[in-house]
């Protein structure tokens, strides 16, 4: 298995360029960054992890700017979003941001997306939480047109535009790999129809990973690799991922100052070494 890191980069922790350089030096292959544009003061949507919303959610840097800094500091590191909240993003700006990052990094982008959970955050972007699944499906289909066609157009219920010019085009062909976050039936269906890789969270059991891989094969998508998002270091969990033929595991890195972060990365190296 390959190993990377998933984390929240904030104004209170290690800088993304320093982190990226440290990851590459230690043999990690990827960095996946979370996204939240803002957190509404109204806290009606319960935090999926339970309890109070962690401080990092309030202070997250823009992932594409942070990953650009990471790209400038590295040569091989895969630069991932984990996850970009596509239903609350402007589609055309997102298409340009992803393609620009792929160009500047010489083809190292992994575009992880999901529907999100914070309904107030979505609503502030003008997104109806009830239709965010249908919206992201059309967005993903439209992005492929924008990235691969000189005069792209799309006409759907939620996304609609006449022919446009949009450059740059991504370096990766036909486009940067799309990673789908989430484990629900809707997410798996989205994975089959629109994606290149799956980004399940670490609580997904080895049995569920095997079940989904079987389902994907039955639906003609045996080509989809799995990247575990936000894993811990327990050997029994890593054993389960290896047994399920997971291609990559990303350790969940706490958001801390530089010295503490580098020490944690060294602990991750020790945990990963038996599986490399």
């Amino acid at each position: 298995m390959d190993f990377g890191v998933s984390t929240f980069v904030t104004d209170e922790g290690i800088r993304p360029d320093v982190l990226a350089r440290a990851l590459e030096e230690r043999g990690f292959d990827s960095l996946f960054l979370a996204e939240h544009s803002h957190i509404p003061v109204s806290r009606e949507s319960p935090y999926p992890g339970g309890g109070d919303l962690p401080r990092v959610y309030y202070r997250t840097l823009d992932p594409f700017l942070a990953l650009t800094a990471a790209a400038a500091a590295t040569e091989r590191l895969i630069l991932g979003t984990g996850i970009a909240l596509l239903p609350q993003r402007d589609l055309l700006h997102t298409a340009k941001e992803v393609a620009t990052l792929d160009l500047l990094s010489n083809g190292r982008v992994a575009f992880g997306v999901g529907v999100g959970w914070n309904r107030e955050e979505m609503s502030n972007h003008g997104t109806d939480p009830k239709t965010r699944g249908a919206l992201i499906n059309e967005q993903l289909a439209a992005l492929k047109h924008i990235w691969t066609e000189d005069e792209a157009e799309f006409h759907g219920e939620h996304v609609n535009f006449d022919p446009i010019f949009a450059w740059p085009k991504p370096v990766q062909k036909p486009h940067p790999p799309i990673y789908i976050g989430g484990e629900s039936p809707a997410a798996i269906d989205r994975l089959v129809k629109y994606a290149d890789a799956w980004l399940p969270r670490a609580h997904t059991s080895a049995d569920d990973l095997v079940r989904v891989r079987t389902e994907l094969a039955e639906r003609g998508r045996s080509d989809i690799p799995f990247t575990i998002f936000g894993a811990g270091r327990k050997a029994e969990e890593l054993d389960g991922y290896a047994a399920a033929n997971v291609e990559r595991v990303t350790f969940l890195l706490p958001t801390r100052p530089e010295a503490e972060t580098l020490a944690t990365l060294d602990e991750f190296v020790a945990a990963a070494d038996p599986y490399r």
Side-chain angles (χ1 to χ4, degrees):
M1 291 187 294
D2 291 322
F3 287 87
V5 155
S6 52
T7 191
F8 287 74
V9 171
T10 78
D11 59 327
E12 297 180 324
I14 189 171
R15 290 175 53 90
D17 51 342
V18 177
L19 172 60
R21 190 179 303 112
L23 289 171
E24 193 164 87
E25 290 171 349
R26 287 163 174 77
F28 292 102
D29 85 325
S30 56
L31 171 62
F32 283 78
L33 297 186
E35 174 177 52
H36 280 279
S37 60
H38 68 290
I39 297 297
V41 173
S42 169
R43 294 288 302 111
E44 296 178 14
S45 296
Y47 172 50
D52 294 334
L53 188 66
R55 182 179 178 86
V56 291
Y57 280 80
Y58 296 87
R59 310 191 72 95
T60 303
L61 302 189
D62 178 273
F64 292 104
L65 291 176
L67 289 171
T68 300
T74 56
E75 296 180 355
R76 302 176 304 279
L77 196 71
I78 294 170
L79 310 163
T81 50
I83 55 176
L85 300 172
L86 189 56
Q88 62 190 48
R89 291 183 130 264
D90 179 87
L91 180 70
L92 299 178
H93 280 306
T94 300
K96 185 173 288 288
E97 287 172 348
V98 174
T100 299
L101 179 60
D102 203 53
L103 176 68
L104 296 177
S105 67
N106 293 315
R108 292 189 277 144
V109 171
F111 187 45
V113 300
V115 296
W117 60 269
N118 191 317
R119 291 170 179 261
E120 299 83 69
E121 182 181 358
M122 297 175 211
S123 295
N124 285 350
H125 285 280
T127 298
D128 183 352
K130 295 179 181 178
T131 59
R132 66 189 189 276
L135 171 59
I136 194 174
N137 291 345
E138 289 190 7
Q139 288 176 313
L140 291 172
L143 281 172
K144 295 184 179 187
H145 287 283
I146 295 169
W147 287 333
T148 61
E149 299 171 9
D150 285 349
E151 297 185 24
E153 66 179 300
F154 190 88
H155 302 286
E157 181 179 354
H158 304 281
V159 177
N160 185 62
F161 53 87
D162 290 329
I164 62 170
F165 295 118
W167 276 274
K169 302 301 183 187
V171 171
Q172 298 181 81
K173 301 302 179 188
H175 52 73
I178 296 170
Y179 287 59
I180 295 294
E183 304 83 30
S184 68
I188 301 306
D189 191 56
R190 187 170 300 122
L191 179 64
V192 170
K193 294 178 179 178
Y194 302 104
D196 306 290
W198 189 30
L199 194 63
R201 290 167 290 182
H203 61 66
T204 308
S205 69
D207 288 343
D208 283 340
L209 294 171
V210 172
R211 175 186 57 78
V212 171
R213 199 180 290 278
T214 300
E215 178 183 346
L216 293 174
E218 291 172 349
R219 298 177 68 176
R221 293 303 311 272
S222 58
D223 58 321
I224 293 179
F226 293 4
T227 288
I228 302 297
F229 179 85
R233 288 172 281 166
K234 293 182 179 179
E236 56 267 31
E237 294 178 358
L238 297 176
D239 287 343
Y241 300 145
N245 295 318
V246 165
E247 284 78 5
R248 177 187 296 112
V249 172
T250 65
F251 292 117
L252 183 61
L253 179 68
T255 303
R256 293 173 179 160
E258 182 175 330
E260 296 176 48
T261 298
L262 297 181
T264 302
L265 292 183
D266 291 335
E267 295 173 2
F268 288 167
V269 169
D273 276 347
Y275 303 92
R276 293 184 191 269

